[in-house]
Amino acid sequence: MDDDRPDVLLTGLLFYDLVLTGLGRPPTPGEEIWTAGMGCGPGGIANLAVAAARFGLRTSLATVFGDDFYGAYCQEILAGQEGVDLTLSRRADGWPTPVTVSLALPHSRLRSSGGAPISDRALVTHGSEPPYSQDALMGDPPEARTALVHIEAEPRAWLAKAAANGTHIYADVGWDPTQQWSRDLLDQLSLCHAFLPNEAEAMAYTRTDSAVAALGTLAELVPVAVVTRGGDGAIAVDQTTGEYADVPALDIDVLDATGAGDVFGASFVAATLAGWPLEERLRFAVLAAGLSVQRHGGALAAPGWYGVDRWWRSLTDPHLGRAYGFLADRLPADPGPPVRYAPVTPPARQY
């Protein structure tokens, strides 16, 4: 195995995120609400990049940065603070970095009658399509051990090239605002090693009425199928090992759920590359995603080895101690320095 290959290859749209928390309710037109909770930092594809890098994975990101304060700040955080390789990324003159303001609302585990998660945040974004496409950024993608991708209705040419290089593709998918849920999108799973949708998406695309049924259908299309279930945990099948796993979520107070799914995916990949059994991989991903929702923002909320190690060493619940006892042999001897969480505002320095 070529040790110089990236562990994780990523491409996608980057945002500068400003997250407001502690809101008892959303504001009404003409009303101003004050809140004490706020955090900022890179978002979008940066969520996956930081989550992977904080688990020690060699992470290569192809994205576009605007030639503005937000772009320079996000670039410094990703490369300078988190050690993400930005060789494949570009800066676009005259193009503003997309900015998202997120209002994190009181979290609920309730679901609508249609099975879709009830949103726990409201988003307002300013931005436009970047001047470089994913295929332009990637070109002939470098050989990598894995790639974490967000599949869309229009297939990306670089995915087939990466799969041909031997890269294992781990894919997720977003909510379809058209409510059409075209099964043509699932054709792209022929390129993928793993597919990790949430429960609502999985049922919609497979035309099934339960997460378990959806998992069964997806397991026929991809070697590793995972369905995340929010407050109900996650289920998965690994056809390469013959394993099935069903793990519960942790009972954690939610501050901001932004990027939790990305943390789950990056954590699952990290545990898979380490060769862990499926149940351990799934528990680890559920734990990391759970820890991330206790912090502001997406990217900088990722716990990394430091956050998982701190949680394990402070654990007093005997049931969780047994369920997560595998961590005693899995955690690195040196989990690294404390991770840097999202600041209220960027520091006063020149970018």
Side-chain angles (χ1 to χ4, degrees):
M1 181 177 292
D2 184 356
D3 289 337
D4 291 333
R5 291 183 302 165
D7 292 315
V8 179
L9 182 63
L10 301 166
T11 186
L13 189 57
L14 177 133
F15 299 81
Y16 176 85
D17 282 353
L18 180 62
V19 180
L20 299 171
T21 61
L23 299 171
R25 57 180 175 78
T28 59
E31 180 183 22
E32 180 180 21
I33 292 180
W34 284 64
T35 184
M38 189 172 84
C40 69
I45 192 62
N47 297 344
L48 282 168
V50 174
R54 287 184 173 181
F55 283 120
L57 301 181
R58 295 184 297 274
T59 304
S60 177
L61 171 61
T63 192
V64 183
F65 298 93
D67 62 344
D68 51 20
F69 164 81
Y70 300 119
Y73 175 68
C74 291
Q75 189 169 356
E76 167 62 23
I77 292 296
L78 289 169
Q81 176 177 301
E82 303 296 335
V84 175
D85 180 7
L86 299 180
T87 303
L88 297 176
S89 295
R90 302 191 194 183
R91 175 181 168 182
D93 293 339
W95 179 75
T97 304
V99 175
T100 294
V101 177
S102 174
L103 304 181
L105 305 173
H107 183 71
S108 172
R109 292 184 179 180
L110 296 177
R111 292 183 179 273
S112 70
S113 58
I118 295 175
S119 177
D120 56 5
R121 56 199 170 112
L123 307 176
V124 179
T125 296
H126 173 270
S128 61
E129 285 293 317
Y132 306 106
S133 68
Q134 290 187 17
D135 289 332
L137 291 170
M138 283 293 194
D140 292 320
E143 293 184 10
R145 298 177 70 188
T146 69
L148 275 160
V149 305
H150 184 83
I151 56 175
E152 302 174 10
E154 186 66 29
R156 307 290 185 176
W158 76 268
L159 280 181
K161 296 177 182 179
N165 280 343
T167 297
H168 279 185
I169 309 296
Y170 288 71
D172 68 7
V173 68
W175 183 260
D176 181 2
T178 71
Q179 303 284 298
Q180 297 300 308
W181 308 105
S182 172
R183 286 184 62 89
D184 292 344
L185 182 142
L186 298 183
D187 293 342
Q188 297 178 57
L189 296 187
S190 62
L191 300 173
C192 298
H193 177 73
F195 186 45
L196 302 88
N198 68 35
E199 182 178 16
E201 296 156 355
M203 291 190 296
Y205 279 111
T206 59
R207 311 297 196 266
T208 54
D209 59 4
S210 73
V212 172
L215 182 70
T217 299
L218 294 175
E220 299 175 358
L221 303 176
V222 68
V224 179
V226 180
V227 176
T228 60
R229 306 178 67 191
D232 294 322
I235 53 178
V237 172
D238 187 336
Q239 302 283 20
T240 67
T241 61
E243 296 172 280
Y244 169 81
D246 182 348
V247 306
L250 299 180
D251 186 10
I252 288 179
D253 292 331
V254 177
L255 175 69
D256 174 25
T258 304
D262 295 324
V263 173
F264 180 98
S267 307
F268 188 82
V269 167
T272 300
L273 290 176
W276 299 6
L278 181 62
E279 182 174 340
E280 292 184 9
R281 286 181 264 162
L282 208 58
R283 286 191 182 275
F284 182 69
V286 165
L287 170 62
L291 294 178
S292 75
V293 303
Q294 296 178 305
R295 301 284 180 176
H296 288 98
L300 299 182
W305 285 122
Y306 173 84
V308 174
D309 181 81
R310 187 177 182 186
W311 176 85
W312 171 247
R313 294 185 184 280
S314 64
L315 189 62
T316 57
D317 185 316
H319 174 72
L320 287 177
R322 290 189 294 271
Y324 283 88
F326 64 89
L327 289 177
D329 298 321
R330 303 299 191 193
L331 289 168
D334 180 8
V339 295
R340 299 182 187 179
Y341 296 112
V344 174
T345 57
R349 54 187 293 188
Q350 185 65 40
Y351 289 100

